[in-house]
Amino acid sequence: MQQGVGGGAWGGSGQHPAAPSQPPIPAGQGWPGSVPPPPPVQPPPVPPQQVVPETTGHIPLPPAVAPGTGGATLAVLLIGPAGAGKTTVARHWAATRPVPTAHISLDDVREWVCSGFADPQAGWNEHSEAQYRLARRTCGFAARNFLANGISCILDDAVFPDRPVVGLGGWKRHVGPALLSVVLLPGLEIVLERNAARSGNRRLSDEEVARIHGRMAGWYGSGLSIIDNSHLDVEGTARALDETLARVIGTPQT
């Protein structure tokens, strides 16, 4: 006899047995009847950051302009009688400029001659004249050398207005036509007092100082700038010199 389908283990009634029970599926988060989830963890508060203004870049400012002659490269001749203080003032002016500046003293160069030195206290003669000319040429050569290397220079000499070829004209030949000349001319009493404080061969007799001072008066009306430093100290005179030179170089040449 042929057995019917579904016999055997399935039971004789021919019906399928009930499916085994499955464990209940847990309710998903947010479903009705489920346990509410814990609150989300909040990150720690971020401290407020300092607002940095937007940079616009560095704008270089022009360098400060020094008063007076500033950084100009100059060749200066400071003229004056013995005792006017021209050597001391020239040295101070050169030492306090904001750019390299040399002081070339005619007397210092003249005194390079040791044996056979023509002492001005012995009077003016052909030997002293020759040594002065040689010292001026040497100073002019040194000045041109400094200027060629970008270094300003100031020279000092007792140049007489009644001898333009030997004096001012000679200096311009030695140094160059751009030489700026300023006269330092205090009163006679001040010159005599300062000369009395000098020593060595640079101290002259009162008669010689008065004679030189009288000849220097010829610079009035010459067109050169004249500074009366009778009541100025060294620093004040150097400042007046710098301001005078600034006016000279700022005046258009005709």
Side-chain angles (χ1 to χ4, degrees):
M1 174 182 292
Q2 193 176 24
Q3 291 183 349
V5 180
W10 290 94
S13 64
Q15 296 180 349
H16 295 289
S21 60
Q22 299 292 332
I25 300 175
Q29 293 184 357
W31 287 13
S34 62
V35 178
V41 178
Q42 298 293 334
V46 179
Q49 298 190 4
Q50 187 176 4
V51 178
V52 179
E54 183 181 359
T55 58
T56 58
H58 173 67
I59 302 176
L61 297 176
V65 178
T69 58
T73 303
L74 304 175
V76 180
L77 175 63
L78 189 59
I79 301 170
K86 56 186 180 296
T87 300
T88 304
V89 171
R91 183 181 297 113
H92 184 82
W93 180 79
T96 54
R97 293 199 75 212
V99 292
T101 305
H103 170 224
I104 305 173
S105 172
L106 174 67
D107 285 339
D108 288 348
V109 174
R110 191 172 52 83
E111 291 173 357
W112 288 353
V113 178
C114 297
S115 177
F117 173 70
D119 193 337
Q121 291 181 340
W124 191 264
N125 53 46
E126 59 179 340
H127 299 292
S128 55
E129 177 74 28
Q131 290 184 10
Y132 266 103
R133 287 199 304 267
L134 178 59
R136 288 190 179 103
R137 288 198 302 270
T138 304
C139 290
F141 175 79
R144 293 196 307 273
N145 225 358
F146 280 119
L147 293 170
N149 288 274
I151 299 177
S152 298
C153 58
I154 181 170
L155 310 102
D156 60 89
D157 186 16
V159 177
F160 297 116
D162 53 357
R163 302 187 68 188
V165 177
V166 177
L168 188 56
W171 275 116
K172 289 191 174 182
R173 288 195 310 273
H174 297 323
V175 179
L179 180 67
L180 304 176
S181 301
V182 177
V183 181
L184 203 61
L185 191 56
L188 177 59
E189 297 80 5
I190 301 299
V191 169
L192 290 171
E193 179 182 341
R194 293 175 181 172
N195 178 71
R198 304 171 82 176
S199 60
N201 54 32
R202 298 193 182 187
R203 179 175 177 176
L204 305 178
S205 65
D206 288 351
E207 293 76 15
E208 182 70 9
V209 171
R211 184 184 69 83
I212 294 174
H213 186 274
R215 292 178 67 182
M216 288 289 171
W219 286 116
Y220 286 103
S222 66
L224 293 186
S225 299
I226 299 177
I227 299 175
D228 182 352
N229 62 326
S230 299
H231 305 290
L232 295 175
D233 57 9
V234 174
E235 182 178 353
T237 307
R239 185 166 53 250
L241 171 62
D242 198 64
E243 293 171 353
T244 300
L245 292 169
R247 289 195 297 269
V248 172
I249 62 179
T251 302
Q253 301 298 319
T254 57

